[in-house]
Amino acid sequence: TWRVQPDGGEPRVLQRVNGIFPPAVNGDIAVVTEHLEARGLSTPRLLPTTDGRLWLELDGAVWRLMSFVTGVCRNALETPGQAHAAGALLGRFHRALDDLDHVFANPRLGVHDTPRHLAALATALETHRDHADYGLIAPIGETILARADALPPLPSTPDRIVHGDPKINNIIFADGGDEARCLIDLDTLGPMPLPLELGDAFRSWCNPGSEDTTETRFALDLFAAGVRGYAGTTRGYVAPDEWRAIVPATLTILVELAARFCADALNEAYFGWDPERFASRSEHNRVRAEGQLSEFDSLQARRGDAESAVAEAFTGR
């Protein structure tokens, strides 16, 4: 991603799209962002080429140009006020898309297929016994699988159009304030059960330590503020089965992501890594897996308090 500025013009965002996404994902983005803008939400918009195309294919890569939204991205939340603002923004985003009738070219079906991710971890543990760090990784993997066995069941809820990856650094905040301005990184748009979207949001927003450390916890004050912000903009939109599933879904996403990171600590084939901080891709993803597992345990220890915060936010009692 580059920030570019033509002579005398407004800044733009130039992106080479990750190859895991089909080019047609840009059509989905165009439809959704037009709908969001018509509902009064701030959003980046695709800027067409001189011949009207939404993207450009060049030398085996897909490129696009988007409008630039000023503000800052955060790798972790610092205050309950920021969490409240993030929750309110995500609520407005969901409500604005509630009446959108669109068949997605890139629906990302089964992206949160937790049993599939757990099975992939079990396979990695079985097939990579010769990995140099197997002795460090295997106990983490076995613990993740044990935590998964104790996960609370999730209710069957309808698919809704959601962002798909509402982690904290996909929100742009206003410079020098708590206002959450818009959501970015829109390649993951599509239909999904709402509790999984919210679980993915809160597992990110409520971890002050970020994903790249084992020193993680689930910050209940950030969670309560984020839920209040979300509930304040979605009453009448979120069904009771959906809001009651927020905490179980957050636990599920934490286990799922821990499993994915742990499997890749052995497979070394999917997630990227920071070579300036970690000696290998395996080490970085082992740390990530431990961090998600630690956050899971932190939330599980205060699950009752978290569920009370959700009930109070949505019912006032």
Side-chain angles (χ1 to χ4, degrees), residues 38 56 88 93 116 120 138 151 154 173 248 285 299 302-303 312:
L56 177 67
F93 183 92
R116 177 171 62 86
L151 280 173
L154 297 180
F173 289 84
N285 286 310
L299 172 56
R302 302 196 65 184
R303 179 179 169 186
E312 181 178 352

Side-chain angles (χ1 to χ4, degrees), residues 128-187:
H128 290 291
R129 293 180 178 274
D130 59 347
H131 192 284
D133 290 329
Y134 187 84
L136 293 173
I137 299 167
I140 301 167
E142 296 297 342
T143 301
I144 292 167
L145 294 174
R147 296 290 190 273
D149 286 341
L151 280 173
L154 297 180
S156 177
T157 58
D159 284 350
R160 297 181 183 266
I161 297 176
V162 297
H163 180 276
D165 188 19
K167 60 187 178 183
I168 196 56
N169 59 10
N170 281 337
I171 295 176
I172 291 183
F173 289 84
D175 284 303
D178 287 348
E179 177 197 357
R181 300 202 60 201
C182 77
L183 285 149
I184 58 171
D185 200 4
L186 302 173
D187 296 293

Side-chain angles (χ1 to χ4, degrees), residues 255-275:
V255 164
E256 178 185 294
L257 190 54
R260 294 181 64 197
F261 285 142
C262 191
D264 208 47
L266 294 168
N267 295 328
E268 300 192 48
Y270 184 78
F271 291 107
W273 62 290
D274 183 351

Side-chain angles (χ1 to χ4, degrees), residues 42-310:
S42 176
T43 181
R45 294 296 306 274
L46 284 166
L47 303 174
T49 64
T50 53
D51 57 1
R53 288 177 291 169
L54 295 177
W55 69 88
L56 177 67
E57 297 184 49
L58 181 66
D59 296 333
V62 174
W63 297 82
R64 66 180 173 222
L65 193 67
M66 303 189 78
S67 59
F68 181 83
V69 179
T70 59
V72 295
C73 292
R74 305 180 186 278
N75 288 322
L77 290 177
E78 299 171 353
T79 67
Q82 292 169 1
H84 189 280
L89 172 66
L90 188 60
R92 291 193 298 271
F93 183 92
H94 289 158
R95 292 207 73 153
L97 296 177
D98 193 40
D99 63 344
L100 175 61
D101 183 13
H102 175 64
V103 177
F104 284 80
N106 181 47
R108 302 178 74 235
L109 299 175
V111 64
H112 286 304
D113 184 345
T114 305
R116 177 171 62 86
H117 292 301
L118 293 170
L121 172 58
T123 298
L125 290 169
E126 182 62 32
T127 58
H128 290 291
R129 293 180 178 274
D130 59 347
H131 192 284
D133 290 329
Y134 187 84
L136 293 173
I137 299 167
I140 301 167
E142 296 297 342
T143 301
I144 292 167
L145 294 174
R147 296 290 190 273
D149 286 341
L151 280 173
L154 297 180
S156 177
T157 58
D159 284 350
R160 297 181 183 266
I161 297 176
V162 297
H163 180 276
D165 188 19
K167 60 187 178 183
I168 196 56
N169 59 10
N170 281 337
I171 295 176
I172 291 183
F173 289 84
D175 284 303
D178 287 348
E179 177 197 357
R181 300 202 60 201
C182 77
L183 285 149
I184 58 171
D185 200 4
L186 302 173
D187 296 293
T188 54
L189 292 162
M192 182 191 300
L194 188 63
L196 293 176
E197 164 93 339
L198 296 174
D200 201 12
F202 289 120
R203 68 92 198 164
S204 169
W205 301 359
C206 302
N207 173 14
S210 82
E211 288 182 358
D212 299 320
T213 176
T214 59
E215 301 299 319
T216 59
R217 63 182 177 88
F218 190 85
L220 196 61
D221 59 336
L222 298 179
F223 177 72
V227 170
R228 285 196 302 271
Y230 186 80
T233 54
T234 58
R235 288 191 184 90
Y237 164 79
V238 182
D241 278 355
E242 291 173 316
W243 62 255
R244 290 191 186 104
I246 290 175
V247 174
T250 305
L251 290 166
T252 298
I253 295 295
L254 283 165
V255 164
E256 178 185 294
L257 190 54
R260 294 181 64 197
F261 285 142
C262 191
D264 208 47
L266 294 168
N267 295 328
E268 300 192 48
Y270 184 78
F271 291 107
W273 62 290
D274 183 351
E276 294 186 2
R277 294 182 57 193
F278 301 94
S280 67
R281 183 192 299 264
S282 177
E283 180 190 359
H284 193 167
N285 286 310
R286 173 171 56 82
V287 167
R288 287 165 163 160
E290 287 186 274
Q292 296 300 297
L293 190 58
S294 177
E295 188 181 353
F296 173 93
D297 290 342
S298 176
L299 172 56
Q300 185 73 293
R302 302 196 65 184
R303 179 179 169 186
D305 293 334
E307 290 181 334
S308 294
V310 172

